[in-house]
Amino acid sequence: MNELFPLLSFLVFPGGIFVLASGLVYEWTDRKLVARMQNRIGPRWFQPLADVVKLLAKEEVVPAGVNRSMFLAFPVVALAAALTAALYVPMAGFSPSFSFRGDLIVTVYLLSLLTLCIGLAGANTADRFSIIGATRTLTQLFSYEAPFLLALLGPAIVAGTWQISEIAGYAHNHWLILTQPIGFVVAIIGLMGKLELPPFDAPEAETEIVSGALTEYSGRGLALFRIGKDAELVIGLTLVAAFYLGGLSNPLEFLLKTGGLLLVVAGLQSLFARLRIDQVVGLWWRVGALLALLQLLVLVVLQGMGI
Amino acid sequence: MDMKLTHPWEEAVDEIRRWARINSPWAIHFNSGSCNGCDIEILATITPRYDLERFGIKLQGSPRHADVMICTGPVTRQARERLVRIYEQMPDPKFVVAVGSCAISGGAFRGCYNVEGGIDQVIPVNMYVPGCPPRPEAIIYGVVQLLQSLKPESQKG
Ligand code: SF4
């Protein structure tokens, strides 16, 4: 039984099937909300599933001029990293299946691995659009990653621990969105940058550079990257909800809080037009990072004064 | 489709594949020499008013991501090579819809010194949408008919 447990938690719950299924559901909700805000009817409920199955059943073209094994490995690594990250966050309101001191940092890096894989996959192909897309993906990674981490550090500092389950336990009694509003805003916008959602979709701007880093991917590779992104959406929403919105103690609370966050994200997506890549970097480093640092400073000072 | 499937599970997998294919056609738009009338109608088709996302149709930028190529205009000698190349860049299974009279036969440009003729002179076409230019409703109807033709009932007949 003891050997079976890690396997089960990786393949079924909270990793594996559960994250994949909820990822598809959240993607549909997001697309439907955006469609309704644009006065459209929007996709049918099984749309993301149909997309993924169709992509899996399609031919996978390995273009000329790429390193074949790397081309095939990147999507797998990306999805595996996203699924592993699910093991350390309080999915569906249950306590994380694995937990150790400092797992917050590990989770944040596992989540960045997906973006890194997309960037490297783009740089691996010889296509000019992929290479521009890869440059933009990696530039954006370097711009949002630091503020996002700083925003997640705020709750970690007040809770006095780097362990996700303990921070979530602390946040359960404190609605940190009230005491750390800047951190919340930076975290939610950082999540949108991570997922390359509309105001930050310069890396895959289809009007300029076709589909960015994933231009050359077809079939299975594209499908795995898409599911990986969906999984990251769920994990990111869970993390932000657990830290800032008073913790997640049961599945109902999980649904309500992450659903509310998704509504905010969908609203922001339809409100703003795409930012240029230099505007993205400027926004994050001039505004996001500074504000997050400022709040961190205040927190540290207050903590030092013993309040 | 004269392939024989022996196991019931193979048929089930095939059924799922077909279902996914019908419900998620991603399109790419290629203009091989049209007067732009048809292209404007295609752009009108993907606006929120007609909302193609209802059928799962999504306009993609990259031929590698696309299942359906929507072609407009006659094939000019200059565009011919690009058309074939983009068609070959699409992964299987792939479908082609010819939109407008020019794409069907050369239309207004038929017989010009620089025109090869309709799209089907160069690549296989699965569905023709006539009109000069066709209305967005007609384009949607054409694509939906193409998807319907993938269902097994219509393949027997
Ligand atoms: S069918 Fe009519 S509108 Fe379309 S390309 Fe030909 S001339 Fe232009």
Side-chain angles (χ1 to χ4, degrees):
Chain A
M1 197 60 215
N2 270 348
E3 292 84 53
L4 212 59
F5 173 73
L7 201 65
L8 212 64
S9 58
F10 186 75
L11 291 181
V12 184
F13 182 90
I17 296 173
F18 177 76
V19 173
L20 297 185
S22 51
L24 294 180
V25 173
Y26 276 72
E27 189 203 332
W28 172 76
T29 320
D30 180 45
R31 279 166 69 173
K32 184 83 180 174
L33 284 173
V34 172
R36 290 309 297 162
M37 286 179 200
Q38 295 174 345
N39 240 337
R40 293 187 286 132
I41 293 178
R44 296 158 296 179
W45 65 271
F46 52 77
Q47 195 57 57
L49 180 67
D51 286 349
V52 166
V53 174
K54 177 208 70 179
L55 284 176
L56 285 175
K58 254 177 113 70
E59 176 193 5
E60 184 167 36
V61 183
V62 180
V66 305
N67 183 329
R68 195 187 152 83
S69 47
M70 272 178 19
F71 185 84
L72 296 177
F74 278 131
V76 180
V77 174
L79 183 60
L83 290 186
T84 315
L87 299 179
Y88 298 105
V89 296
M91 269 294 159
F94 298 105
S95 59
S97 32
F98 293 99
S99 160
F100 55 87
R101 286 172 47 139
D103 56 2
L104 175 62
I105 303 296
V106 174
T107 311
V108 169
Y109 277 95
L110 281 175
L111 285 180
S112 327
L113 205 55
L114 175 80
T115 323
L116 198 62
C117 280
I118 293 181
L120 291 178
N124 183 25
T125 50
D127 181 50
R128 73 199 95 154
F129 298 118
S130 313
I131 290 174
I132 298 177
T135 322
R136 289 191 185 180
T137 306
L138 294 177
T139 314
Q140 186 155 315
L141 176 76
F142 287 122
S143 55
Y144 68 69
E145 199 58 44
F148 184 68
L149 187 59
L150 288 178
L152 290 184
L153 279 193
I157 285 181
V158 287
T161 166
W162 293 75
Q163 197 164 346
I164 290 179
S165 53
E166 284 181 22
I167 302 172
Y170 173 84
H172 193 54
N173 311 318
H174 307 73
W175 278 65
L176 290 179
I177 181 175
L178 299 177
T179 49
Q180 306 183 12
I182 301 176
F184 174 70
V185 172
V186 172
I188 195 96
I189 296 179
L191 188 63
M192 294 178 70
K194 233 177 180 12
L195 297 163
E196 299 178 355
L197 292 175
F200 305 109
D201 60 349
E204 46 182 71
E206 65 176 27
T207 37
E208 314 157 20
I209 51 168
V210 187
S211 316
L214 299 184
T215 301
E216 288 289 346
Y217 271 85
S218 59
R220 197 178 55 109
L222 188 60
L224 293 186
F225 274 129
R226 280 179 69 95
I227 322 177
K229 262 194 189 170
D230 289 348
E232 199 169 295
L233 173 68
V234 181
I235 297 166
L237 287 178
T238 314
L239 212 54
V240 176
F243 279 18
Y244 281 101
L245 293 184
L248 305 165
S249 54
N250 54 45
L252 184 67
E253 219 171 291
F254 169 80
L255 266 185
L256 285 180
K257 284 177 180 168
T258 51
L261 276 183
L262 195 60
L263 191 65
V264 174
V265 170
L268 290 175
Q269 272 181 63
S270 22
L271 265 178
F272 292 106
R274 180 187 303 143
L275 294 171
R276 255 186 356 245
I277 189 72
D278 59 313
Q279 291 170 330
V280 172
V281 177
L283 175 72
W284 280 117
W285 281 110
R286 286 205 210 101
V287 186
L290 276 188
L291 284 179
L293 265 180
L294 191 71
Q295 176 176 297
L296 216 58
L297 210 66
V298 173
L299 283 179
V300 171
V301 169
L302 287 183
Q303 198 88 348
M305 281 156 56
I307 301 173
Chain B
M1 279 262 173
D2 46 3
M3 224 161 57
K4 269 275 169 287
L5 296 175
T6 42
H7 294 291
W9 64 267
E10 275 181 351
E11 269 174 42
V13 168
D14 212 49
E15 195 63 35
I16 294 174
R17 263 194 223 134
R18 193 178 307 121
W19 167 81
R21 208 163 280 155
I22 290 174
N23 284 303
S24 151
W26 290 356
I28 178 176
H29 167 206
F30 185 70
N31 170 353
S32 59
S34 116
C35 75
N36 269 341
C38 288
D39 306 289
I40 288 171
E41 291 305 308
I42 286 180
L43 289 188
T45 314
I46 58 171
T47 51
R49 182 180 168 84
Y50 296 101
D51 187 25
L52 282 184
E53 209 180 4
R54 283 178 298 155
F55 307 112
I57 303 176
K58 219 165 112 188
L59 202 67
Q60 287 289 348
S62 162
R64 295 261 194 245
H65 300 184
D67 309 289
V68 180
M69 174 145 79
I70 300 179
C71 295
T72 56
V75 185
T76 60
R77 277 180 214 275
Q78 200 170 19
R80 184 201 147 102
E81 213 177 297
R82 319 277 157 74
L83 179 63
V84 173
R85 214 157 98 195
I86 288 184
Y87 180 73
E88 275 166 3
Q89 278 175 355
M90 287 165 61
D92 278 324
K94 51 192 168 188
F95 309 98
V96 177
V97 181
V99 169
S101 349
C102 293
I104 295 175
S105 64
F109 304 103
R110 191 183 173 100
C112 280
Y113 67 93
N114 58 346
V115 164
E116 298 259 344
I119 302 283
D120 53 7
Q121 304 284 309
V122 184
I123 54 175
V125 175
N126 299 80
M127 189 58 69
Y128 300 87
V129 181
C132 179
R135 291 184 61 86
E137 288 92 336
I139 301 175
I140 297 174
Y141 182 73
V143 175
V144 170
Q145 286 298 307
L146 169 71
L147 300 175
Q148 295 301 323
S149 73
L150 296 180
K151 290 192 176 155
E153 306 93 64
S154 55
Q155 295 220 334
K156 278 179 206 128

PDB file of all heavy atoms in Angstrom, chain A residues 284-298:
ATOM      1  N   TRP A 284       6.211  45.001 -15.727  1.00  0.00           N
ATOM      2  CA  TRP A 284       6.565  44.120 -14.627  1.00  0.00           C
ATOM      3  C   TRP A 284       7.687  44.679 -13.788  1.00  0.00           C
ATOM      4  O   TRP A 284       7.617  44.695 -12.567  1.00  0.00           O
ATOM      5  CB  TRP A 284       6.950  42.740 -15.144  1.00  0.00           C
ATOM      6  CG  TRP A 284       5.750  41.934 -15.461  1.00  0.00           C
ATOM      7  CD1 TRP A 284       5.389  41.466 -16.674  1.00  0.00           C
ATOM      8  CD2 TRP A 284       4.743  41.529 -14.554  1.00  0.00           C
ATOM      9  NE1 TRP A 284       4.208  40.797 -16.578  1.00  0.00           N
ATOM     10  CE2 TRP A 284       3.790  40.819 -15.294  1.00  0.00           C
ATOM     11  CE3 TRP A 284       4.547  41.713 -13.191  1.00  0.00           C
ATOM     12  CZ2 TRP A 284       2.667  40.287 -14.722  1.00  0.00           C
ATOM     13  CZ3 TRP A 284       3.431  41.178 -12.608  1.00  0.00           C
ATOM     14  CH2 TRP A 284       2.502  40.480 -13.377  1.00  0.00           C
ATOM     15  N   TRP A 285       8.750  45.163 -14.448  1.00  0.00           N
ATOM     16  CA  TRP A 285       9.910  45.570 -13.651  1.00  0.00           C
ATOM     17  C   TRP A 285       9.715  46.934 -13.034  1.00  0.00           C
ATOM     18  O   TRP A 285      10.148  47.174 -11.914  1.00  0.00           O
ATOM     19  CB  TRP A 285      11.186  45.517 -14.491  1.00  0.00           C
ATOM     20  CG  TRP A 285      11.658  44.112 -14.603  1.00  0.00           C
ATOM     21  CD1 TRP A 285      11.641  43.345 -15.718  1.00  0.00           C
ATOM     22  CD2 TRP A 285      12.172  43.296 -13.554  1.00  0.00           C
ATOM     23  NE1 TRP A 285      12.097  42.096 -15.438  1.00  0.00           N
ATOM     24  CE2 TRP A 285      12.444  42.034 -14.116  1.00  0.00           C
ATOM     25  CE3 TRP A 285      12.422  43.500 -12.194  1.00  0.00           C
ATOM     26  CZ2 TRP A 285      12.959  40.989 -13.372  1.00  0.00           C
ATOM     27  CZ3 TRP A 285      12.935  42.460 -11.455  1.00  0.00           C
ATOM     28  CH2 TRP A 285      13.205  41.214 -12.039  1.00  0.00           C
ATOM     29  N   ARG A 286       9.047  47.878 -13.752  1.00  0.00           N
ATOM     30  CA  ARG A 286       8.904  49.221 -13.181  1.00  0.00           C
ATOM     31  C   ARG A 286       7.783  49.259 -12.159  1.00  0.00           C
ATOM     32  O   ARG A 286       7.877  49.960 -11.166  1.00  0.00           O
ATOM     33  CB  ARG A 286       8.627  50.237 -14.288  1.00  0.00           C
ATOM     34  CG  ARG A 286       9.852  50.502 -15.086  1.00  0.00           C
ATOM     35  CD  ARG A 286       9.823  51.846 -15.757  1.00  0.00           C
ATOM     36  NE  ARG A 286      10.592  51.739 -16.995  1.00  0.00           N
ATOM     37  CZ  ARG A 286      10.043  51.611 -18.176  1.00  0.00           C
ATOM     38  NH1 ARG A 286       8.737  51.635 -18.311  1.00  0.00           N
ATOM     39  NH2 ARG A 286      10.792  51.492 -19.239  1.00  0.00           N
ATOM     40  N   VAL A 287       6.697  48.556 -12.409  1.00  0.00           N
ATOM     41  CA  VAL A 287       5.543  48.657 -11.513  1.00  0.00           C
ATOM     42  C   VAL A 287       5.414  47.416 -10.630  1.00  0.00           C
ATOM     43  O   VAL A 287       5.471  47.507  -9.402  1.00  0.00           O
ATOM     44  CB  VAL A 287       4.245  48.868 -12.329  1.00  0.00           C
ATOM     45  CG1 VAL A 287       3.091  49.125 -11.401  1.00  0.00           C
ATOM     46  CG2 VAL A 287       4.421  50.016 -13.296  1.00  0.00           C
ATOM     47  N   GLY A 288       5.280  46.244 -11.274  1.00  0.00           N
ATOM     48  CA  GLY A 288       4.985  45.028 -10.520  1.00  0.00           C
ATOM     49  C   GLY A 288       6.030  44.698  -9.480  1.00  0.00           C
ATOM     50  O   GLY A 288       5.729  44.567  -8.284  1.00  0.00           O
ATOM     51  N   ALA A 289       7.294  44.612  -9.914  1.00  0.00           N
ATOM     52  CA  ALA A 289       8.345  44.210  -8.987  1.00  0.00           C
ATOM     53  C   ALA A 289       8.507  45.230  -7.874  1.00  0.00           C
ATOM     54  O   ALA A 289       8.657  44.879  -6.700  1.00  0.00           O
ATOM     55  CB  ALA A 289       9.654  44.035  -9.741  1.00  0.00           C
ATOM     56  N   LEU A 290       8.438  46.536  -8.230  1.00  0.00           N
ATOM     57  CA  LEU A 290       8.633  47.569  -7.213  1.00  0.00           C
ATOM     58  C   LEU A 290       7.535  47.512  -6.162  1.00  0.00           C
ATOM     59  O   LEU A 290       7.817  47.551  -4.960  1.00  0.00           O
ATOM     60  CB  LEU A 290       8.651  48.947  -7.876  1.00  0.00           C
ATOM     61  CG  LEU A 290      10.011  49.336  -8.448  1.00  0.00           C
ATOM     62  CD1 LEU A 290       9.990  50.773  -8.892  1.00  0.00           C
ATOM     63  CD2 LEU A 290      11.093  49.129  -7.394  1.00  0.00           C
ATOM     64  N   LEU A 291       6.286  47.394  -6.623  1.00  0.00           N
ATOM     65  CA  LEU A 291       5.179  47.355  -5.666  1.00  0.00           C
ATOM     66  C   LEU A 291       5.305  46.131  -4.757  1.00  0.00           C
ATOM     67  O   LEU A 291       5.138  46.236  -3.544  1.00  0.00           O
ATOM     68  CB  LEU A 291       3.845  47.317  -6.408  1.00  0.00           C
ATOM     69  CG  LEU A 291       3.400  48.653  -7.000  1.00  0.00           C
ATOM     70  CD1 LEU A 291       2.087  48.488  -7.721  1.00  0.00           C
ATOM     71  CD2 LEU A 291       3.263  49.693  -5.909  1.00  0.00           C
ATOM     72  N   ALA A 292       5.629  44.992  -5.361  1.00  0.00           N
ATOM     73  CA  ALA A 292       5.737  43.770  -4.562  1.00  0.00           C
ATOM     74  C   ALA A 292       6.867  43.904  -3.542  1.00  0.00           C
ATOM     75  O   ALA A 292       6.726  43.509  -2.381  1.00  0.00           O
ATOM     76  CB  ALA A 292       5.976  42.571  -5.467  1.00  0.00           C
ATOM     77  N   LEU A 293       7.991  44.523  -3.989  1.00  0.00           N
ATOM     78  CA  LEU A 293       9.117  44.711  -3.074  1.00  0.00           C
ATOM     79  C   LEU A 293       8.716  45.626  -1.923  1.00  0.00           C
ATOM     80  O   LEU A 293       9.041  45.375  -0.758  1.00  0.00           O
ATOM     81  CB  LEU A 293      10.286  45.325  -3.823  1.00  0.00           C
ATOM     82  CG  LEU A 293      11.315  44.347  -4.365  1.00  0.00           C
ATOM     83  CD1 LEU A 293      12.404  45.105  -5.074  1.00  0.00           C
ATOM     84  CD2 LEU A 293      11.898  43.537  -3.222  1.00  0.00           C
ATOM     85  N   LEU A 294       8.001  46.705  -2.275  1.00  0.00           N
ATOM     86  CA  LEU A 294       7.576  47.671  -1.267  1.00  0.00           C
ATOM     87  C   LEU A 294       6.731  46.980  -0.203  1.00  0.00           C
ATOM     88  O   LEU A 294       6.952  47.154   1.002  1.00  0.00           O
ATOM     89  CB  LEU A 294       6.759  48.771  -1.963  1.00  0.00           C
ATOM     90  CG  LEU A 294       6.466  49.998  -1.116  1.00  0.00           C
ATOM     91  CD1 LEU A 294       7.748  50.782  -0.920  1.00  0.00           C
ATOM     92  CD2 LEU A 294       5.408  50.864  -1.784  1.00  0.00           C
ATOM     93  N   GLN A 295       5.792  46.156  -0.677  1.00  0.00           N
ATOM     94  CA  GLN A 295       4.923  45.485   0.270  1.00  0.00           C
ATOM     95  C   GLN A 295       5.713  44.503   1.138  1.00  0.00           C
ATOM     96  O   GLN A 295       5.490  44.400   2.343  1.00  0.00           O
ATOM     97  CB  GLN A 295       3.841  44.737  -0.471  1.00  0.00           C
ATOM     98  CG  GLN A 295       2.988  43.961   0.484  1.00  0.00           C
ATOM     99  CD  GLN A 295       1.864  43.288  -0.229  1.00  0.00           C
ATOM    100  OE1 GLN A 295       0.997  43.933  -0.803  1.00  0.00           O
ATOM    101  NE2 GLN A 295       1.877  41.985  -0.201  1.00  0.00           N
ATOM    102  N   LEU A 296       6.685  43.849   0.500  1.00  0.00           N
ATOM    103  CA  LEU A 296       7.520  42.910   1.234  1.00  0.00           C
ATOM    104  C   LEU A 296       8.284  43.636   2.341  1.00  0.00           C
ATOM    105  O   LEU A 296       8.393  43.159   3.472  1.00  0.00           O
ATOM    106  CB  LEU A 296       8.492  42.252   0.260  1.00  0.00           C
ATOM    107  CG  LEU A 296       8.814  40.798   0.522  1.00  0.00           C
ATOM    108  CD1 LEU A 296       7.548  39.991   0.516  1.00  0.00           C
ATOM    109  CD2 LEU A 296       9.761  40.286  -0.546  1.00  0.00           C
ATOM    110  N   LEU A 297       8.788  44.836   1.990  1.00  0.00           N
ATOM    111  CA  LEU A 297       9.553  45.643   2.943  1.00  0.00           C
ATOM    112  C   LEU A 297       8.679  45.996   4.142  1.00  0.00           C
ATOM    113  O   LEU A 297       9.075  45.837   5.304  1.00  0.00           O
ATOM    114  CB  LEU A 297      10.024  46.910   2.229  1.00  0.00           C
ATOM    115  CG  LEU A 297      11.329  47.497   2.744  1.00  0.00           C
ATOM    116  CD1 LEU A 297      12.454  46.544   2.460  1.00  0.00           C
ATOM    117  CD2 LEU A 297      11.569  48.842   2.090  1.00  0.00           C
ATOM    118  N   VAL A 298       7.467  46.469   3.850  1.00  0.00           N
ATOM    119  CA  VAL A 298       6.535  46.834   4.922  1.00  0.00           C
ATOM    120  C   VAL A 298       6.277  45.630   5.812  1.00  0.00           C
ATOM    121  O   VAL A 298       6.317  45.726   7.049  1.00  0.00           O
ATOM    122  CB  VAL A 298       5.217  47.364   4.316  1.00  0.00           C
ATOM    123  CG1 VAL A 298       4.183  47.581   5.401  1.00  0.00           C
ATOM    124  CG2 VAL A 298       5.460  48.644   3.559  1.00  0.00           C
TER     125      VAL A 298
END
